[in-house]
Amino acid sequence: MANTTPKSLRRRMHSVMFKAPMMITCEEFESFILEYIEGDLSPRQKMIFEMHLRVCAECRAYLKEYERARALTEAQRNIESTEVPDDLIAAILAARGA
Amino acid sequence: MDQNLKMKHEIYEDRAFVSDNIGWMLAVAERILNDRMHAEDAVQNAFQKIWAGLGNFEGRSTLKTWMHRIVVNEALMILRRSTTRKESPIDPLLPQFDDSGCRIEQSLVVTETPESLFSNAEIATNVQNMIMQLPEKYRIILILRDIEGLSTAEVAQILKISDSNVKIRLHRARSALKKLLEPVLGEFNG
Ligand SMILES: [Zn+2]
């Protein structure tokens, strides 16, 4: 239980901070992530997004893992099927002749 | 060239064309269908379309891009016909927020090199298995956008849904996959 206090305290501090002008909540930050990555935010939205990123360690960690997961997904692109059965090639070539 | 020799040459070319491309085409179809036999069917159908259309190929994209879209379409066609399996909802995998919109997340210590814990091949297999756990309407979009490299507009057109729907599902799919990959991405911090 000892480490739940700092977390709840930090959350309370956040909830006060997020009400300041130009500040967004983590939930709002979440809804901007895709557009941020794709470069679809306006300069003002981008600034607000990056401001939250600077003050919020949770969202920083979250975005880093999100990007890492995306990179690992993209790496799947390089996987080729190694087993190619001869009868499949034969069937494809037979259909070509027909 | 005499007729017989010309025929032999064409047969040789056809065989080389198939063996050069069948590996990546099977991989694409297997990712979408998660089933080897169905993937082979999709590739076989794709080659028929490719040969039928090769004469009219306009070169607006590269030959490989054109072939890639054909195999994607053939795989999706088979996917739509096959019975859908029962799926668990995606919501438990999405990020949580408290009443004031603050992220509730068990934070991870991201290991800079997860490669030190797992080999590249192990990571790739893990990622592949986790992608398969995503509900299908999210999985397909993740595959088409992030692996197959289709644009939002292309995915929207193929799946007959709106661009914004593609984006919403893509973001949820990535978030859910990130959650599923946490054991690979790092260790929990406290
Ligand atoms: Zn935040």
Side-chain angles (χ1 to χ4, degrees), chain A residues 11 14-15 25-27 30 34 38 59 62 64-66 68 70 72-74 76-77 79-81 83-85 88 91-93 95-96, chain B residues 14 22-23 27 30-31 36 40 44 51 95 98 100-103 108 112 114-115 123-124 145-147 167 171 174-175 177-178 185:
Chain A
R11 276 218 295 277
H14 271 183
S15 70
T25 64
C26 298
E27 202 166 2
E30 177 75 28
L34 190 76
E38 307 211 330
C59 283
Y62 180 88
K64 192 174 173 186
E65 292 155 26
Y66 180 99
R68 176 96 189 117
R70 188 166 68 106
L72 288 172
T73 305
E74 280 176 6
Q76 294 276 309
R77 204 176 282 179
I79 298 173
E80 275 208 12
S81 195
E83 289 163 59
V84 178
L88 178 61
I92 289 166
L93 288 167
R96 163 69 155 164
Chain B
D14 285 349
I22 196 165
E30 271 193 280
R31 277 198 285 272
R36 179 64 190 211
E40 292 189 6
Q44 206 169 340
W51 274 322
D98 68 12
S100 51
C102 190
R103 191 180 293 280
L108 283 173
E112 285 306 323
E115 289 82 1
I123 292 172
R145 276 271 338 240
D146 284 351
I147 306 180
K167 288 183 186 175
H171 178 64
R174 285 173 176 173
S175 303
L177 183 67
K178 172 212 150 303
L185 291 168

Short mmCIF file of all heavy atoms in Angstrom, two decimals, chain A residues 11 14-15 25-27 30 34 38 59 62 64-66 68 70 72-74 76-77 79-81 83-85 88 91-93 95-96, chain B residues 14 22-23 27 30-31 36 40 44 51 95 98 100-103 108 112 114-115 123-124 145-147 167 171 174-175 177-178 185:
data_model
loop_
_atom_site.label_atom_id
_atom_site.label_comp_id
_atom_site.label_asym_id
_atom_site.label_seq_id
_atom_site.Cartn_x
_atom_site.Cartn_y
_atom_site.Cartn_z
N ARG A 11 -1.60 12.05 -9.07
CA ARG A 11 -2.81 12.19 -9.89
C ARG A 11 -3.59 13.44 -9.51
O ARG A 11 -4.12 14.14 -10.37
CB ARG A 11 -3.68 10.95 -9.76
CG ARG A 11 -3.25 9.83 -10.68
CD ARG A 11 -4.43 9.08 -11.26
NE ARG A 11 -5.19 8.36 -10.25
CZ ARG A 11 -4.86 7.16 -9.80
NH1 ARG A 11 -3.80 6.54 -10.25
NH2 ARG A 11 -5.61 6.56 -8.90
N HIS A 14 -1.85 16.36 -10.90
CA HIS A 14 -2.13 16.40 -12.33
C HIS A 14 -3.49 17.02 -12.62
O HIS A 14 -3.63 17.85 -13.49
CB HIS A 14 -2.09 14.99 -12.93
CG HIS A 14 -0.72 14.59 -13.39
ND1 HIS A 14 -0.48 13.40 -14.01
CD2 HIS A 14 0.46 15.23 -13.32
CE1 HIS A 14 0.81 13.32 -14.29
NE2 HIS A 14 1.40 14.41 -13.87
N SER A 15 -4.49 16.57 -11.85
CA SER A 15 -5.85 17.01 -12.16
C SER A 15 -5.98 18.52 -11.97
O SER A 15 -6.78 19.17 -12.64
CB SER A 15 -6.88 16.24 -11.33
OG SER A 15 -6.78 16.61 -9.99
N THR A 25 -5.67 16.87 -20.57
CA THR A 25 -5.59 15.69 -19.71
C THR A 25 -4.90 14.56 -20.47
O THR A 25 -4.74 14.62 -21.70
CB THR A 25 -6.99 15.21 -19.29
OG1 THR A 25 -7.66 14.78 -20.48
CG2 THR A 25 -7.78 16.31 -18.60
N CYS A 26 -4.54 13.52 -19.74
CA CYS A 26 -3.93 12.35 -20.39
C CYS A 26 -4.91 11.74 -21.39
O CYS A 26 -4.52 11.25 -22.44
CB CYS A 26 -3.58 11.28 -19.35
SG CYS A 26 -2.39 11.82 -18.13
N GLU A 27 -6.18 11.80 -21.03
CA GLU A 27 -7.20 11.20 -21.90
C GLU A 27 -7.28 11.97 -23.22
O GLU A 27 -7.41 11.38 -24.29
CB GLU A 27 -8.55 11.20 -21.17
CG GLU A 27 -9.51 10.19 -21.72
CD GLU A 27 -10.70 9.95 -20.79
OE1 GLU A 27 -10.79 10.61 -19.73
OE2 GLU A 27 -11.53 9.09 -21.14
N GLU A 30 -4.19 11.17 -25.21
CA GLU A 30 -4.36 9.86 -25.86
C GLU A 30 -5.06 10.01 -27.22
O GLU A 30 -4.67 9.38 -28.20
CB GLU A 30 -5.19 8.96 -24.93
CG GLU A 30 -5.52 7.57 -25.48
CD GLU A 30 -4.33 6.62 -25.47
OE1 GLU A 30 -3.44 6.78 -24.61
OE2 GLU A 30 -4.30 5.73 -26.33
N LEU A 34 -2.33 9.52 -32.50
CA LEU A 34 -2.21 9.09 -33.90
C LEU A 34 -1.94 10.28 -34.83
O LEU A 34 -1.04 10.23 -35.66
CB LEU A 34 -3.47 8.34 -34.34
CG LEU A 34 -3.34 7.64 -35.68
CD1 LEU A 34 -2.51 6.38 -35.55
CD2 LEU A 34 -4.69 7.30 -36.27
N GLU A 38 1.29 11.11 -37.19
CA GLU A 38 1.13 11.26 -38.64
C GLU A 38 1.34 12.70 -39.09
O GLU A 38 1.18 13.00 -40.28
CB GLU A 38 -0.25 10.73 -39.05
CG GLU A 38 -0.47 9.32 -38.53
CD GLU A 38 -1.36 8.44 -39.39
OE1 GLU A 38 -2.25 8.98 -40.07
OE2 GLU A 38 -1.13 7.22 -39.37
N CYS A 59 2.58 9.64 -19.64
CA CYS A 59 2.31 9.72 -21.08
C CYS A 59 3.60 9.60 -21.89
O CYS A 59 3.60 9.06 -22.99
CB CYS A 59 1.56 11.01 -21.42
SG CYS A 59 -0.19 10.91 -20.97
N TYR A 62 4.29 6.00 -21.91
CA TYR A 62 3.28 5.36 -22.75
C TYR A 62 3.61 5.53 -24.23
O TYR A 62 3.60 4.57 -25.00
CB TYR A 62 1.90 5.96 -22.43
CG TYR A 62 0.80 5.36 -23.25
CD1 TYR A 62 0.12 4.22 -22.81
CD2 TYR A 62 0.43 5.90 -24.47
CE1 TYR A 62 -0.88 3.65 -23.58
CE2 TYR A 62 -0.56 5.34 -25.25
CZ TYR A 62 -1.21 4.21 -24.79
OH TYR A 62 -2.20 3.65 -25.56
N LYS A 64 6.43 6.18 -25.64
CA LYS A 64 7.66 5.48 -25.99
C LYS A 64 7.38 3.99 -26.28
O LYS A 64 7.85 3.43 -27.26
CB LYS A 64 8.66 5.61 -24.84
CG LYS A 64 10.06 5.19 -25.19
CD LYS A 64 11.01 5.51 -24.04
CE LYS A 64 12.39 4.94 -24.31
NZ LYS A 64 13.29 5.12 -23.16
N GLU A 65 6.56 3.39 -25.42
CA GLU A 65 6.21 1.98 -25.61
C GLU A 65 5.33 1.78 -26.84
O GLU A 65 5.45 0.78 -27.55
CB GLU A 65 5.47 1.45 -24.37
CG GLU A 65 6.35 1.36 -23.14
CD GLU A 65 5.53 1.45 -21.86
OE1 GLU A 65 4.34 1.09 -21.88
OE2 GLU A 65 6.09 1.90 -20.84
N TYR A 66 4.44 2.74 -27.05
CA TYR A 66 3.55 2.70 -28.21
C TYR A 66 4.40 2.70 -29.51
O TYR A 66 4.17 1.91 -30.41
CB TYR A 66 2.65 3.92 -28.12
CG TYR A 66 1.62 4.12 -29.22
CD1 TYR A 66 0.29 3.73 -29.02
CD2 TYR A 66 1.93 4.73 -30.43
CE1 TYR A 66 -0.68 3.96 -29.99
CE2 TYR A 66 0.98 4.95 -31.40
CZ TYR A 66 -0.33 4.57 -31.19
OH TYR A 66 -1.28 4.79 -32.15
N ARG A 68 7.52 1.87 -29.78
CA ARG A 68 8.33 0.65 -29.82
C ARG A 68 7.50 -0.53 -30.36
O ARG A 68 7.95 -1.30 -31.19
CB ARG A 68 8.83 0.36 -28.40
CG ARG A 68 9.61 -0.91 -28.25
CD ARG A 68 11.12 -0.68 -28.33
NE ARG A 68 11.79 -1.98 -28.39
CZ ARG A 68 12.52 -2.38 -29.42
NH1 ARG A 68 12.75 -1.60 -30.43
NH2 ARG A 68 13.05 -3.59 -29.42
N ARG A 70 4.98 -0.26 -32.29
CA ARG A 70 4.74 -0.01 -33.71
C ARG A 70 5.96 -0.42 -34.54
O ARG A 70 5.83 -1.03 -35.60
CB ARG A 70 4.44 1.48 -33.92
CG ARG A 70 4.01 1.81 -35.34
CD ARG A 70 3.42 3.19 -35.37
NE ARG A 70 4.43 4.21 -35.13
CZ ARG A 70 4.93 5.00 -36.08
NH1 ARG A 70 4.50 4.89 -37.32
NH2 ARG A 70 5.83 5.92 -35.81
N LEU A 72 8.13 -2.72 -33.78
CA LEU A 72 8.17 -4.19 -33.80
C LEU A 72 7.14 -4.76 -34.78
O LEU A 72 7.37 -5.77 -35.43
CB LEU A 72 7.93 -4.76 -32.40
CG LEU A 72 9.07 -4.57 -31.39
CD1 LEU A 72 8.63 -5.00 -29.99
CD2 LEU A 72 10.32 -5.34 -31.80
N THR A 73 6.00 -4.09 -34.87
CA THR A 73 4.97 -4.52 -35.82
C THR A 73 5.49 -4.35 -37.25
O THR A 73 5.39 -5.26 -38.07
CB THR A 73 3.68 -3.70 -35.64
OG1 THR A 73 3.26 -3.78 -34.29
CG2 THR A 73 2.57 -4.21 -36.54
N GLU A 74 6.08 -3.18 -37.51
CA GLU A 74 6.58 -2.92 -38.87
C GLU A 74 7.66 -3.91 -39.28
O GLU A 74 7.78 -4.25 -40.45
CB GLU A 74 7.11 -1.48 -38.96
CG GLU A 74 5.97 -0.50 -39.15
CD GLU A 74 6.43 0.95 -39.16
OE1 GLU A 74 7.64 1.21 -39.13
OE2 GLU A 74 5.53 1.82 -39.19
N GLN A 76 7.66 -6.94 -38.88
CA GLN A 76 7.04 -8.17 -39.38
C GLN A 76 7.02 -8.21 -40.91
O GLN A 76 6.91 -9.27 -41.51
CB GLN A 76 5.59 -8.27 -38.87
CG GLN A 76 5.47 -8.45 -37.37
CD GLN A 76 5.62 -9.91 -36.96
OE1 GLN A 76 4.97 -10.79 -37.49
NE2 GLN A 76 6.51 -10.16 -36.02
N ARG A 77 7.09 -7.02 -41.49
CA ARG A 77 7.09 -6.88 -42.95
C ARG A 77 8.18 -7.71 -43.62
O ARG A 77 8.04 -8.16 -44.74
CB ARG A 77 7.35 -5.39 -43.22
CG ARG A 77 6.89 -4.88 -44.50
CD ARG A 77 7.13 -3.39 -44.54
NE ARG A 77 6.13 -2.63 -43.78
CZ ARG A 77 6.15 -1.31 -43.67
NH1 ARG A 77 7.11 -0.61 -44.22
NH2 ARG A 77 5.19 -0.69 -43.00
N ILE A 79 9.39 -10.57 -42.87
CA ILE A 79 9.30 -12.03 -42.76
C ILE A 79 8.76 -12.62 -44.06
O ILE A 79 7.71 -12.21 -44.54
CB ILE A 79 8.40 -12.44 -41.57
CG1 ILE A 79 9.00 -11.91 -40.26
CG2 ILE A 79 8.20 -13.96 -41.53
CD1 ILE A 79 8.10 -12.11 -39.04
N GLU A 80 9.50 -13.54 -44.62
CA GLU A 80 9.04 -14.23 -45.82
C GLU A 80 8.73 -15.67 -45.47
O GLU A 80 9.31 -16.23 -44.56
CB GLU A 80 10.11 -14.21 -46.92
CG GLU A 80 10.08 -12.96 -47.74
CD GLU A 80 10.61 -13.16 -49.17
OE1 GLU A 80 10.80 -14.31 -49.59
OE2 GLU A 80 10.82 -12.14 -49.83
N SER A 81 7.83 -16.25 -46.18
CA SER A 81 7.50 -17.65 -45.94
C SER A 81 8.63 -18.51 -46.51
O SER A 81 8.97 -18.40 -47.67
CB SER A 81 6.17 -17.97 -46.63
OG SER A 81 5.69 -19.17 -46.15
N GLU A 83 8.89 -21.99 -46.34
CA GLU A 83 8.47 -23.26 -46.94
C GLU A 83 7.49 -23.01 -48.07
O GLU A 83 6.39 -22.53 -47.86
CB GLU A 83 7.75 -24.13 -45.89
CG GLU A 83 8.65 -24.69 -44.82
CD GLU A 83 7.83 -25.18 -43.65
OE1 GLU A 83 6.97 -26.05 -43.85
OE2 GLU A 83 8.04 -24.65 -42.55
N VAL A 84 7.95 -23.29 -49.27
CA VAL A 84 7.07 -23.17 -50.42
C VAL A 84 6.93 -24.55 -51.04
O VAL A 84 7.88 -25.07 -51.62
CB VAL A 84 7.63 -22.16 -51.44
CG1 VAL A 84 6.72 -22.09 -52.65
CG2 VAL A 84 7.78 -20.78 -50.82
N PRO A 85 5.77 -25.18 -50.91
CA PRO A 85 5.63 -26.54 -51.43
C PRO A 85 5.67 -26.58 -52.96
O PRO A 85 5.11 -25.71 -53.62
CB PRO A 85 4.25 -26.98 -50.91
CG PRO A 85 3.56 -25.77 -50.46
CD PRO A 85 4.55 -24.68 -50.26
N LEU A 88 2.40 -26.60 -54.88
CA LEU A 88 1.71 -25.31 -55.03
C LEU A 88 2.24 -24.58 -56.27
O LEU A 88 1.46 -24.09 -57.09
CB LEU A 88 1.90 -24.44 -53.78
CG LEU A 88 1.27 -23.05 -53.83
CD1 LEU A 88 -0.25 -23.12 -54.00
CD2 LEU A 88 1.63 -22.23 -52.60
N ALA A 91 0.87 -26.28 -59.28
CA ALA A 91 -0.54 -25.96 -59.51
C ALA A 91 -0.69 -24.57 -60.13
O ALA A 91 -1.52 -24.36 -61.03
CB ALA A 91 -1.32 -26.04 -58.20
N ILE A 92 0.12 -23.63 -59.65
CA ILE A 92 0.06 -22.27 -60.18
C ILE A 92 0.50 -22.25 -61.65
O ILE A 92 -0.15 -21.62 -62.50
CB ILE A 92 0.94 -21.32 -59.33
CG1 ILE A 92 0.28 -21.11 -57.96
CG2 ILE A 92 1.16 -19.98 -60.03
CD1 ILE A 92 1.19 -20.49 -56.92
N LEU A 93 1.57 -22.99 -61.95
CA LEU A 93 2.07 -23.03 -63.33
C LEU A 93 1.09 -23.76 -64.25
O LEU A 93 0.91 -23.37 -65.39
CB LEU A 93 3.45 -23.69 -63.37
CG LEU A 93 4.59 -22.83 -62.80
CD1 LEU A 93 5.84 -23.66 -62.59
CD2 LEU A 93 4.87 -21.64 -63.71
N ALA A 95 -2.12 -23.79 -63.91
CA ALA A 95 -3.24 -22.87 -64.16
C ALA A 95 -2.84 -21.82 -65.20
O ALA A 95 -3.67 -21.33 -65.96
CB ALA A 95 -3.67 -22.19 -62.86
N ARG A 96 -1.55 -21.49 -65.24
CA ARG A 96 -1.05 -20.53 -66.23
C ARG A 96 -1.17 -21.10 -67.63
O ARG A 96 -1.57 -20.41 -68.57
CB ARG A 96 0.43 -20.22 -65.90
CG ARG A 96 1.23 -19.58 -67.00
CD ARG A 96 0.78 -18.18 -67.25
NE ARG A 96 1.84 -17.35 -67.83
CZ ARG A 96 1.60 -16.18 -68.42
NH1 ARG A 96 0.36 -15.75 -68.51
NH2 ARG A 96 2.59 -15.46 -68.90
N ASP B 14 8.15 -18.27 -66.49
CA ASP B 14 7.00 -18.38 -65.59
C ASP B 14 7.43 -18.98 -64.26
O ASP B 14 7.05 -18.50 -63.20
CB ASP B 14 5.90 -19.26 -66.20
CG ASP B 14 5.16 -18.53 -67.31
OD1 ASP B 14 5.36 -17.31 -67.44
OD2 ASP B 14 4.40 -19.20 -68.03
N ILE B 22 6.65 -16.02 -54.79
CA ILE B 22 5.72 -16.79 -53.98
C ILE B 22 6.01 -16.69 -52.47
O ILE B 22 5.09 -16.68 -51.66
CB ILE B 22 5.65 -18.26 -54.47
CG1 ILE B 22 4.39 -18.93 -53.89
CG2 ILE B 22 6.92 -19.03 -54.14
CD1 ILE B 22 4.04 -20.23 -54.57
N GLY B 23 7.26 -16.54 -52.10
CA GLY B 23 7.62 -16.47 -50.68
C GLY B 23 6.99 -15.29 -49.96
O GLY B 23 6.31 -15.45 -48.95
N ALA B 27 3.65 -15.08 -47.34
CA ALA B 27 3.78 -14.43 -46.03
C ALA B 27 2.67 -13.40 -45.82
O ALA B 27 2.06 -13.33 -44.75
CB ALA B 27 5.15 -13.78 -45.89
N GLU B 30 -0.60 -15.30 -45.30
CA GLU B 30 -0.63 -15.97 -43.99
C GLU B 30 -0.87 -14.99 -42.85
O GLU B 30 -1.55 -15.31 -41.88
CB GLU B 30 0.69 -16.72 -43.75
CG GLU B 30 0.68 -18.13 -44.28
CD GLU B 30 1.86 -18.94 -43.75
OE1 GLU B 30 2.96 -18.77 -44.30
OE2 GLU B 30 1.67 -19.71 -42.80
N ARG B 31 -0.28 -13.80 -42.97
CA ARG B 31 -0.50 -12.79 -41.92
C ARG B 31 -1.97 -12.42 -41.84
O ARG B 31 -2.53 -12.28 -40.76
CB ARG B 31 0.31 -11.52 -42.24
CG ARG B 31 1.75 -11.61 -41.79
CD ARG B 31 2.36 -10.23 -41.72
NE ARG B 31 2.67 -9.69 -43.03
CZ ARG B 31 3.83 -9.89 -43.68
NH1 ARG B 31 4.77 -10.62 -43.14
NH2 ARG B 31 4.03 -9.35 -44.86
N ARG B 36 -2.51 -21.59 -43.09
CA ARG B 36 -1.64 -21.93 -44.20
C ARG B 36 -2.39 -22.36 -45.47
O ARG B 36 -2.10 -21.90 -46.57
CB ARG B 36 -0.67 -23.03 -43.75
CG ARG B 36 0.28 -23.51 -44.79
CD ARG B 36 1.23 -22.40 -45.21
NE ARG B 36 1.98 -22.80 -46.37
CZ ARG B 36 3.22 -22.40 -46.65
NH1 ARG B 36 3.82 -21.56 -45.85
NH2 ARG B 36 3.82 -22.82 -47.72
N GLU B 40 -2.43 -20.46 -49.07
CA GLU B 40 -2.03 -21.05 -50.36
C GLU B 40 -3.11 -20.83 -51.42
O GLU B 40 -2.80 -20.51 -52.57
CB GLU B 40 -1.71 -22.54 -50.19
CG GLU B 40 -0.44 -22.76 -49.36
CD GLU B 40 0.03 -24.22 -49.34
OE1 GLU B 40 -0.56 -25.06 -50.06
OE2 GLU B 40 0.99 -24.51 -48.59
N GLN B 44 -2.66 -18.74 -54.89
CA GLN B 44 -3.00 -19.37 -56.17
C GLN B 44 -3.99 -18.48 -56.95
O GLN B 44 -3.80 -18.23 -58.15
CB GLN B 44 -3.61 -20.74 -55.90
CG GLN B 44 -3.44 -21.69 -57.07
CD GLN B 44 -3.81 -23.13 -56.72
OE1 GLN B 44 -3.83 -23.51 -55.53
NE2 GLN B 44 -4.09 -23.92 -57.73
N TRP B 51 -1.66 -13.00 -63.78
CA TRP B 51 -1.41 -13.38 -65.16
C TRP B 51 -2.49 -12.85 -66.10
O TRP B 51 -2.21 -12.46 -67.22
CB TRP B 51 -1.25 -14.91 -65.27
CG TRP B 51 0.17 -15.29 -65.00
CD1 TRP B 51 1.27 -14.60 -65.40
CD2 TRP B 51 0.64 -16.44 -64.30
NE1 TRP B 51 2.40 -15.25 -64.97
CE2 TRP B 51 2.05 -16.38 -64.30
CE3 TRP B 51 0.03 -17.52 -63.67
CZ2 TRP B 51 2.85 -17.34 -63.72
CZ3 TRP B 51 0.82 -18.48 -63.08
CH2 TRP B 51 2.22 -18.39 -63.09
N PRO B 95 -5.95 1.79 -22.74
CA PRO B 95 -5.51 2.54 -21.55
C PRO B 95 -6.68 3.00 -20.67
O PRO B 95 -7.77 3.21 -21.17
CB PRO B 95 -4.77 3.75 -22.15
CG PRO B 95 -5.06 3.76 -23.58
CD PRO B 95 -5.53 2.42 -23.98
N ASP B 98 -8.56 8.00 -14.88
CA ASP B 98 -9.43 8.24 -13.72
C ASP B 98 -10.44 9.35 -14.07
O ASP B 98 -10.49 9.82 -15.21
CB ASP B 98 -8.60 8.55 -12.47
CG ASP B 98 -7.88 9.89 -12.55
OD1 ASP B 98 -8.18 10.70 -13.47
OD2 ASP B 98 -6.99 10.13 -11.70
N SER B 100 -10.56 12.42 -13.49
CA SER B 100 -10.06 13.72 -13.97
C SER B 100 -9.24 13.56 -15.25
O SER B 100 -8.49 14.46 -15.62
CB SER B 100 -9.27 14.43 -12.87
OG SER B 100 -8.29 13.56 -12.35
N GLY B 101 -9.37 12.41 -15.91
CA GLY B 101 -8.69 12.21 -17.19
C GLY B 101 -7.22 11.92 -17.05
O GLY B 101 -6.45 12.06 -18.00
N CYS B 102 -6.81 11.48 -15.87
CA CYS B 102 -5.40 11.19 -15.63
C CYS B 102 -5.13 9.71 -15.90
O CYS B 102 -5.89 8.84 -15.49
CB CYS B 102 -5.07 11.56 -14.18
SG CYS B 102 -3.33 11.54 -13.84
N ARG B 103 -4.04 9.44 -16.58
CA ARG B 103 -3.70 8.08 -16.98
C ARG B 103 -3.43 7.19 -15.77
O ARG B 103 -2.66 7.56 -14.88
CB ARG B 103 -2.46 8.12 -17.88
CG ARG B 103 -2.12 6.81 -18.59
CD ARG B 103 -0.87 6.98 -19.44
NE ARG B 103 -1.06 7.89 -20.57
CZ ARG B 103 -1.64 7.55 -21.71
NH1 ARG B 103 -2.10 6.33 -21.86
NH2 ARG B 103 -1.78 8.42 -22.69
N LEU B 108 6.24 1.07 -16.93
CA LEU B 108 7.26 0.08 -17.26
C LEU B 108 8.63 0.71 -17.23
O LEU B 108 8.78 1.88 -17.56
CB LEU B 108 7.03 -0.42 -18.69
CG LEU B 108 5.93 -1.40 -18.97
CD1 LEU B 108 5.82 -1.59 -20.47
CD2 LEU B 108 6.20 -2.73 -18.32
N GLU B 112 16.18 -0.69 -22.75
CA GLU B 112 16.62 -0.05 -23.99
C GLU B 112 16.81 -1.08 -25.09
O GLU B 112 16.53 -0.84 -26.24
CB GLU B 112 17.92 0.71 -23.77
CG GLU B 112 17.73 2.02 -23.01
CD GLU B 112 16.68 2.93 -23.64
OE1 GLU B 112 16.59 2.99 -24.87
OE2 GLU B 112 15.94 3.59 -22.87
N PRO B 114 15.49 -4.71 -25.60
CA PRO B 114 14.81 -5.96 -25.27
C PRO B 114 15.51 -7.13 -25.95
O PRO B 114 15.35 -8.27 -25.57
CB PRO B 114 13.40 -5.77 -25.81
CG PRO B 114 13.31 -4.42 -26.35
CD PRO B 114 14.66 -3.78 -26.33
N GLU B 115 16.30 -6.80 -26.96
CA GLU B 115 17.07 -7.82 -27.68
C GLU B 115 18.02 -8.56 -26.72
O GLU B 115 18.43 -9.67 -26.99
CB GLU B 115 17.89 -7.19 -28.82
CG GLU B 115 17.06 -6.70 -30.00
CD GLU B 115 16.43 -5.33 -29.76
OE1 GLU B 115 16.67 -4.76 -28.68
OE2 GLU B 115 15.68 -4.87 -30.63
N ILE B 123 11.47 -12.37 -30.49
CA ILE B 123 10.64 -11.17 -30.45
C ILE B 123 9.65 -11.18 -31.61
O ILE B 123 8.46 -10.96 -31.42
CB ILE B 123 11.52 -9.89 -30.49
CG1 ILE B 123 12.31 -9.77 -29.19
CG2 ILE B 123 10.66 -8.63 -30.70
CD1 ILE B 123 13.34 -8.65 -29.18
N ALA B 124 10.14 -11.50 -32.80
CA ALA B 124 9.28 -11.52 -33.98
C ALA B 124 8.12 -12.52 -33.80
O ALA B 124 6.98 -12.22 -34.14
CB ALA B 124 10.09 -11.86 -35.23
N ARG B 145 -2.15 -1.48 -42.38
CA ARG B 145 -1.46 -0.19 -42.26
C ARG B 145 0.00 -0.36 -41.83
O ARG B 145 0.90 0.15 -42.48
CB ARG B 145 -2.17 0.73 -41.25
CG ARG B 145 -3.34 1.52 -41.82
CD ARG B 145 -2.96 2.90 -42.40
NE ARG B 145 -1.72 3.43 -41.90
CZ ARG B 145 -1.56 4.57 -41.27
NH1 ARG B 145 -2.60 5.32 -41.02
NH2 ARG B 145 -0.38 4.98 -40.89
N ASP B 146 0.23 -1.04 -40.73
CA ASP B 146 1.58 -1.03 -40.14
C ASP B 146 2.50 -2.11 -40.71
O ASP B 146 3.71 -1.95 -40.65
CB ASP B 146 1.50 -1.15 -38.62
CG ASP B 146 1.08 0.16 -37.98
OD1 ASP B 146 1.04 1.17 -38.69
OD2 ASP B 146 0.80 0.18 -36.77
N ILE B 147 1.96 -3.19 -41.22
CA ILE B 147 2.85 -4.21 -41.80
C ILE B 147 2.85 -4.11 -43.32
O ILE B 147 3.90 -4.00 -43.94
CB ILE B 147 2.48 -5.64 -41.34
CG1 ILE B 147 2.44 -5.71 -39.80
CG2 ILE B 147 3.50 -6.65 -41.91
CD1 ILE B 147 2.09 -7.07 -39.24
N LYS B 167 -8.60 5.18 -38.63
CA LYS B 167 -7.66 5.77 -37.67
C LYS B 167 -7.98 5.37 -36.23
O LYS B 167 -7.08 5.06 -35.46
CB LYS B 167 -7.66 7.29 -37.81
CG LYS B 167 -6.99 7.76 -39.09
CD LYS B 167 -6.95 9.27 -39.14
CE LYS B 167 -6.41 9.75 -40.48
NZ LYS B 167 -6.48 11.21 -40.58
N HIS B 171 -5.41 3.11 -33.96
CA HIS B 171 -4.87 3.56 -32.68
C HIS B 171 -5.20 2.55 -31.57
O HIS B 171 -4.35 2.22 -30.75
CB HIS B 171 -5.39 4.94 -32.33
CG HIS B 171 -4.90 5.44 -31.01
ND1 HIS B 171 -3.57 5.68 -30.77
CD2 HIS B 171 -5.55 5.69 -29.85
CE1 HIS B 171 -3.42 6.07 -29.51
NE2 HIS B 171 -4.61 6.08 -28.93
N ARG B 174 -3.02 -0.55 -31.96
CA ARG B 174 -1.64 -0.32 -31.51
C ARG B 174 -1.57 -0.28 -29.98
O ARG B 174 -0.63 -0.83 -29.38
CB ARG B 174 -1.11 1.00 -32.06
CG ARG B 174 -0.76 0.95 -33.54
CD ARG B 174 -0.43 2.36 -33.97
NE ARG B 174 0.03 2.47 -35.35
CZ ARG B 174 0.25 3.63 -35.94
NH1 ARG B 174 0.05 4.76 -35.29
NH2 ARG B 174 0.66 3.67 -37.19
N SER B 175 -2.54 0.39 -29.36
CA SER B 175 -2.56 0.48 -27.89
C SER B 175 -2.71 -0.90 -27.27
O SER B 175 -2.03 -1.23 -26.30
CB SER B 175 -3.73 1.35 -27.41
OG SER B 175 -3.65 2.62 -27.97
N LEU B 177 -1.99 -3.78 -28.65
CA LEU B 177 -0.80 -4.58 -28.91
C LEU B 177 0.34 -4.18 -27.97
O LEU B 177 1.05 -5.03 -27.45
CB LEU B 177 -0.35 -4.43 -30.37
CG LEU B 177 0.86 -5.29 -30.74
CD1 LEU B 177 0.51 -6.78 -30.70
CD2 LEU B 177 1.41 -4.93 -32.11
N LYS B 178 0.46 -2.90 -27.72
CA LYS B 178 1.46 -2.40 -26.78
C LYS B 178 1.24 -3.07 -25.42
O LYS B 178 2.18 -3.52 -24.78
CB LYS B 178 1.34 -0.88 -26.66
CG LYS B 178 2.18 -0.26 -25.57
CD LYS B 178 1.47 0.96 -25.01
CE LYS B 178 1.76 1.26 -23.59
NZ LYS B 178 1.50 0.25 -22.59
N LEU B 185 8.47 -5.67 -23.98
CA LEU B 185 8.97 -4.29 -24.03
C LEU B 185 9.78 -3.90 -22.80
O LEU B 185 10.66 -3.07 -22.89
CB LEU B 185 7.80 -3.33 -24.18
CG LEU B 185 7.06 -3.34 -25.51
CD1 LEU B 185 5.77 -2.56 -25.42
CD2 LEU B 185 7.93 -2.76 -26.61
#
